[in-house]
């Protein structure tokens, strides 16, 4: 799977430019600003009005924590993450100046809720079990409740 970079207000598959200054493969953007695969996967996961995603309950584990990030002003999250086959996103890097770095800086140094490379994003605003759903949720300009796991082998 190709990595997704989530450090801009618009998250696109591999938005980092290649040597020639263009993404390494084309991405056809869908109607809602998502890549076509995101739109295909999310099309059946909306409630009857077609606007709000379905919310389902997921059992929480002890090694999870939730951060709250306000994207209403359009700022980027500031993380590089790769989709995993288990439906999560692996955090590869926390980029300087992003909202996640600001979250980290707001915490005491010994907090277990610092977002670090190697952690997994497992749920965003009630969406889970699909990396494409997580990415779509992270795109939204709203308050994001992002649940991360500190364990590498539980999902």
């Amino acid at each position: 799977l190709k990595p997704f970079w989530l450090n801009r207000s618009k998250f696109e598959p591999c938005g980092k430019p290649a040597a020639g200054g263009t993404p390494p493969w084309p991405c056809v953007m869908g109607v809602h600003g998502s890549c076509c695969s995101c739109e295909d996967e999310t099309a059946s996961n909306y409630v009857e009005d077609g606007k709000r995603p379905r919310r389902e309950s997921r059992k929480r584990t002890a090694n999870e924590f939730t951060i709250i990030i306000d994207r209403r002003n359009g700022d980027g999250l500031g993380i590089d993450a790769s989709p995993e086959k288990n439906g999560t996103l692996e955090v590869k890097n926390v980029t300087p100046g992003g909202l996640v770095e600001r979250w980290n800086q707001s915490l005491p140094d010994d907090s277990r809720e610092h977002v670090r490379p190697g952690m997994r994003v497992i749920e965003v605003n009630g969406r889970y079990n699909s990396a494409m759903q997580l990415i779509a949720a992270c795109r939204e300009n709203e308050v994001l409740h992002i649940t991360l796991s500190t364990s590498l082998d539980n999902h």
Side-chain angles (χ1 to χ4, degrees):
L1 293 173
K2 298 197 185 254
F4 284 72
W5 278 268
L6 302 176
N7 60 354
R8 297 186 323 271
S9 60
K10 289 281 187 185
F11 303 112
E12 302 171 57
C14 199
K16 286 194 173 181
T22 59
W25 77 89
C27 177
V28 178
M29 298 306 284
V31 176
H32 302 291
S34 61
C35 80
C36 51
S37 62
C38 298
E39 226 167 67
D40 291 344
E41 191 166 330
T42 61
S44 64
N45 290 331
Y46 284 84
V47 291
E48 293 174 14
D49 67 6
K51 296 178 183 172
R52 292 177 293 121
R54 285 192 185 132
R55 309 289 182 182
E56 297 177 10
S57 297
R58 181 186 59 78
K59 186 176 180 179
R60 305 274 310 233
T61 62
N63 60 344
E64 296 176 15
F65 64 94
T66 300
I67 67 173
I68 300 172
I69 303 289
D70 187 348
R71 283 208 67 239
R72 290 178 292 187
N73 66 359
D75 288 348
L77 287 178
I79 61 172
D80 297 337
S82 291
E84 299 293 312
K85 290 180 182 178
N86 62 7
T88 65
L89 298 173
E90 181 184 355
V91 176
K92 298 293 188 178
N93 186 41
V94 177
T95 58
L99 294 172
V100 172
E101 182 191 46
R102 286 187 238 162
W103 166 270
N104 283 348
Q105 291 173 344
S106 74
L107 300 172
D109 289 340
D110 61 349
S111 174
R112 74 173 204 83
E113 295 187 353
H114 283 261
V115 178
R116 295 185 171 92
M119 291 183 169
R120 302 284 196 272
V121 175
I122 56 175
E123 183 176 336
V124 180
N125 287 2
R127 299 187 207 180
Y128 61 96
N129 283 339
S130 164
M132 294 299 108
Q133 283 282 330
L134 296 175
I135 292 165
C138 286
R139 258 190 212 118
E140 297 180 6
N141 290 337
E142 61 184 48
V143 175
L144 303 179
H145 295 255
I146 302 172
T147 302
L148 294 108
S149 173
T150 58
S151 174
L152 301 180
D153 58 347
N154 71 327
H155 293 282

